[in-house]
Amino acid sequence: MGIASLLPTLKSISRPSHVGDAYGGRAVAVDAYVWLHRGAYACSRELCEGAPTRQHVDYFLNRARALRRADVRAIYVFDGGRLPGKANEEAQRRRNREEALAKAKEHARQGNASAAHDNYVRAVDVTPEMAREVIEALSREGFESLTAPYEADAQMAYLAKRGMVAGVITEDSDLIAHGCRSVFTKMGGCLLYTSDAADDTPCVDLGGRRI
């Protein structure tokens, strides 16, 4: 979700960058659910209707391979359990998805493909089963992933603050509020930083392996 208007406010401490220039040869933490949601949009109707599809998995793998080609060692961090304090918010989101799905089906029956697609996108839900599919696909290609106890944000901030990664890749401004010194948004877009020290963040052992 992020913090409204935070990124525009921090424009003065951002600069355009290629992900390879920013993190080539180093490790980063990637907000996996951001990519999962993006991938799900392309096949939202199939996912909502329970039709077989792997588009969301292929989308994720294509982006992971792009980071590998740029010599960026990524740790894909997935959300874990739902926060109890967000139970009401999650319930409202579920109701919104149900309403959007009903609208999508109605528009589809009426032959309005564009309106149906827009509502399928609003209705699609990224499930633990979808995350498991992607995690297994990443493992088969030698990519590293981990699942946070709850939301990925705090886990990625921990990795960054401990020097286990040089930065984080996300489209969510929350990571800046969590104190990450180097945050890369919108692949190929913009590297955000708070100090030049971000470029000197060391890489240390994670799980017995050098990253």
Side-chain angles (χ1 to χ4, degrees):
M1 294 290 291
I3 301 170
S5 302
L6 180 59
L7 292 182
T9 301
L10 298 179
K11 186 176 180 180
S12 63
I13 60 166
S14 68
R15 59 181 172 86
S17 178
H18 183 274
V19 69
D21 295 333
Y23 301 124
R26 297 192 289 174
V28 297
V30 177
D31 189 348
Y33 264 62
V34 168
W35 289 9
L36 256 175
H37 278 283
R38 292 289 183 186
Y41 295 158
C43 53
S44 56
R45 180 168 185 165
E46 290 85 349
L47 291 171
C48 287
E49 299 289 354
T53 181
R54 276 186 53 86
Q55 289 187 59
H56 56 294
V57 178
D58 293 338
Y59 175 91
F60 201 111
L61 288 177
N62 286 337
R63 292 174 76 87
R65 292 165 185 151
L67 284 185
R68 176 177 279 173
R69 289 194 297 271
D71 193 30
V72 177
R73 302 191 65 179
I75 302 167
Y76 298 95
V77 184
F78 290 79
D79 289 349
R82 298 184 186 278
L83 288 170
K86 287 190 172 182
N88 291 336
E89 181 179 342
E90 292 293 341
Q92 183 59 53
R93 289 179 180 176
R94 184 173 60 254
R95 289 191 292 270
N96 291 342
R97 289 193 299 268
E98 290 171 352
E99 292 174 5
L101 181 57
K103 291 179 181 178
K105 291 181 176 180
E106 180 60 27
H107 285 303
R109 281 193 293 268
Q110 295 173 357
N112 190 339
S114 177
H117 172 74
D118 290 344
N119 280 281
Y120 275 121
V121 167
R122 296 187 185 99
V124 72
D125 183 27
V126 172
T127 66
E129 290 74 20
M130 292 166 61
R132 178 180 53 79
E133 286 181 309
V134 172
I135 290 170
E136 291 175 352
L138 289 171
S139 178
R140 286 193 294 271
E141 296 201 16
F143 294 107
E144 184 174 4
S145 66
L146 62 86
T147 301
Y150 289 101
E151 294 184 344
D153 292 0
Q155 184 68 55
M156 291 189 294
Y158 174 81
L159 294 176
K161 288 181 176 181
R162 291 294 301 272
M164 296 177 177
V165 295
V168 299
I169 296 177
T170 182
E171 294 185 12
D172 195 335
S173 58
D174 285 352
L175 272 298
I176 298 170
H178 275 294
C180 292
R181 288 182 169 183
S182 182
V183 180
F184 195 87
T185 63
K186 304 186 188 304
M187 287 273 288
C190 182
L191 174 66
L192 301 171
Y193 57 94
T194 57
S195 73
D196 291 338
D199 293 333
D200 298 322
T201 304
C203 291
V204 300
D205 286 339
L206 178 66
R209 285 170 291 177
R210 190 73 179 173
I211 62 172

